[in-house]
Every structure is written in structure tokens, then in C-alpha cells.
Amino acid sequence: EAEVAQSPRYKITEKSQAVAFWCDPISGHATLYWYRQILGQGPELLVQFQDESVVDDSQLPKDRFSAERLKGVDSTLKIQPAELGDSAMYLCASSSRDRGGYTFGSGTRLTVV
Amino acid sequence: LAKTTQPISMDSYEGQEVNITCSHNNIATNDYITWYQQFPSQGPRFIIQGYKTKVTNEVASLFIPADRKSSTLSLPRVSLSDTAVYYCLVGAPNTNAGKSTFGDGTTLTVKP
């Protein structure tokens, strides 16, 4: 079964440093999502791409977070500078038109110290 | 915004059928109902999706009444490995995902 690839799996960074996460969606999936999940809560949408265009980034803290999907395939989410409150699981998901639901990756567990 | 309400937690025993209900009073005409399962330190996994009446696949059934204001995920004969968090999500497929939220899910604990 095809998977959404994410890296790194775990990341520890110091406060005020920059950090980046990478996601490779399932081949052919035009829609890509980045979610943040704080321990004990459900995933919260940060940004949605349709091909290379941003569909929704209303919940993305744009003063420190940025996301890109330059060629409409893989995507990078960046945080600069990282804050203690950014510690969470960052999940990437993708979807296609011919199948319902999202396919999620295994996520990147970020710890800011 | 498609808001959902689920029980925070449920307990069951191995071999029993488990039914988890989700309320979505403001569901829109073109919204579908999708359920996900999440284990610790993993991303959510798609379980089942439906629009109305009943949908069944190899792992679960989804019951949706005529008014579509609620839905019930049914897991037959659960095992210890079904212990997880279950999320109900309401939204139109492949549209603005920001219009649907995961909520905090239902933590199902299956006991021996």
C-alpha cells in the first residue's frame, strides 16, 4: 500500500532555532495537508495545498511558519524561530479525488527545548 | 464549520461489538462523514467513509440516519489491538479541509 513519507521522524531543537520538516505525498495525490497535533488533542490543520497552490493557510502562524510545495509534489514546512509551544507532532497527509479520506504519514515529533 | 461531538472515552472487552457515535448537527448537504483510527506516535488511519444509510468494509460499519445529524461507527468483535483514538470528521471531499475539524476523538480501551 502506498504511503506518505515524512522526515525526520523525531527532531529536538533549541528555542529560537530554525527547523524544517519534509513530506512526500502518495504519487498522483494533488492535495497535500500539514497538520499539527498537540499531545492529547486532535490534529489541527495548518495549511492545505492543491498542486502547488495554497488553498487554506488561515491557521498557519505566518510570522514564524512557512510552507511550500514548489513543483506540486513534495512539501516542506519550516518554523523559524522555534518556540517552546511548538512542541507537537507535525503530520502530513494527502488525498486524491477518486478515493475518500486522507492518507497520513507517520509524522515528525518535534521537541523544542 | 463542521463541528463534531464524540464521547471522550469508552471501554470494552475483547470479542464485543463497539459502537461509537458522533454528533454533527450542522452537517451540510455535500458533506461526507469519515472515521479515522490513531495509535500513539502514528498518524491517523482512514477507516471508513459514508454519506447516508449504511456502509460496510472489511474492518467496520458506518450507520448514518436519514437526517444525517449523527453517525455511528461499529467495530465488530474488537481485540486488544483496536485500543486507539477514533476520530469522526465531517466535510466535503477534496474541498477546503479547514472547514472540518478533528475534535479530540474517542479513546477506546479494549480490555482482555
Side-chain angles (χ1 to χ4, degrees):
Chain A
E1 185 178 341
E3 295 182 347
V4 174
Q6 288 190 248
S7 66
R9 189 76 175 87
Y10 302 94
K11 180 70 177 179
I12 300 175
T13 191
E14 292 183 347
K15 185 176 61 173
S16 79
Q17 295 298 303
V19 64
F21 315 126
W22 176 80
C23 172
D24 190 12
I26 291 175
S27 178
H29 280 195
T31 312
L32 184 148
Y33 316 82
W34 282 101
Y35 282 84
R36 176 173 60 187
Q37 185 172 27
I38 297 170
L39 194 62
Q41 299 180 18
E44 170 197 10
L45 180 70
L46 292 175
V47 62
Q48 176 183 349
F49 288 92
Q50 181 67 31
D51 298 310
E52 66 276 8
S53 300
V54 174
V55 172
D56 182 0
D57 63 356
S58 58
Q59 300 303 311
L60 188 71
K62 298 181 187 64
D63 58 335
R64 297 185 300 106
F65 286 64
S66 64
E68 61 182 16
R69 193 184 184 198
L70 293 177
K71 296 183 179 179
V73 181
D74 59 338
S75 175
T76 302
L77 178 69
K78 298 178 181 178
I79 308 175
Q80 183 174 17
E83 296 181 352
L84 296 178
D86 296 331
S87 294
M89 174 78 86
Y90 290 83
L91 295 160
C92 179
S94 66
S95 66
S96 68
R97 290 193 178 279
D98 60 358
R99 182 188 181 278
Y102 311 145
T103 301
F104 283 84
S106 296
T108 296
R109 169 71 66 187
L110 173 67
T111 302
V112 181
V113 297
Chain B
L1 193 67
K3 183 174 173 59
T4 60
T5 303
Q6 301 174 232
I8 294 174
S9 64
M10 295 182 67
D11 290 343
S12 182
Y13 290 92
E14 282 189 291
Q16 289 188 334
E17 177 184 73
V18 171
N19 296 309
I20 306 175
T21 297
C22 178
S23 297
H24 28 79
N25 291 320
N26 62 343
I27 188 168
T29 302
N30 57 347
D31 283 345
Y32 280 68
I33 300 150
T34 311
W35 284 82
Y36 294 85
Q37 175 192 55
Q38 187 176 28
F39 298 113
S41 300
Q42 294 186 24
R45 183 177 73 97
F46 173 92
I47 301 175
I48 196 166
Q49 183 180 73
Y51 184 80
K52 61 181 180 180
T53 63
K54 177 183 175 182
V55 179
T56 297
N57 62 21
E58 62 276 9
V59 298
S61 295
L62 178 59
F63 299 92
I64 305 168
D67 66 6
R68 304 200 327 123
K69 293 185 183 298
S70 67
S71 59
T72 299
L73 174 72
S74 181
L75 304 172
R77 298 179 300 281
V78 295
S79 64
L80 297 177
S81 62
D82 292 316
T83 293
V85 179
Y86 292 82
Y87 294 98
C88 160
L89 193 68
V90 171
N94 291 299
T95 59
N96 190 336
K99 293 183 179 178
S100 53
T101 58
F102 273 86
D104 290 337
T106 297
T107 299
L108 172 65
T109 303
V110 180
K111 303 175 182 179

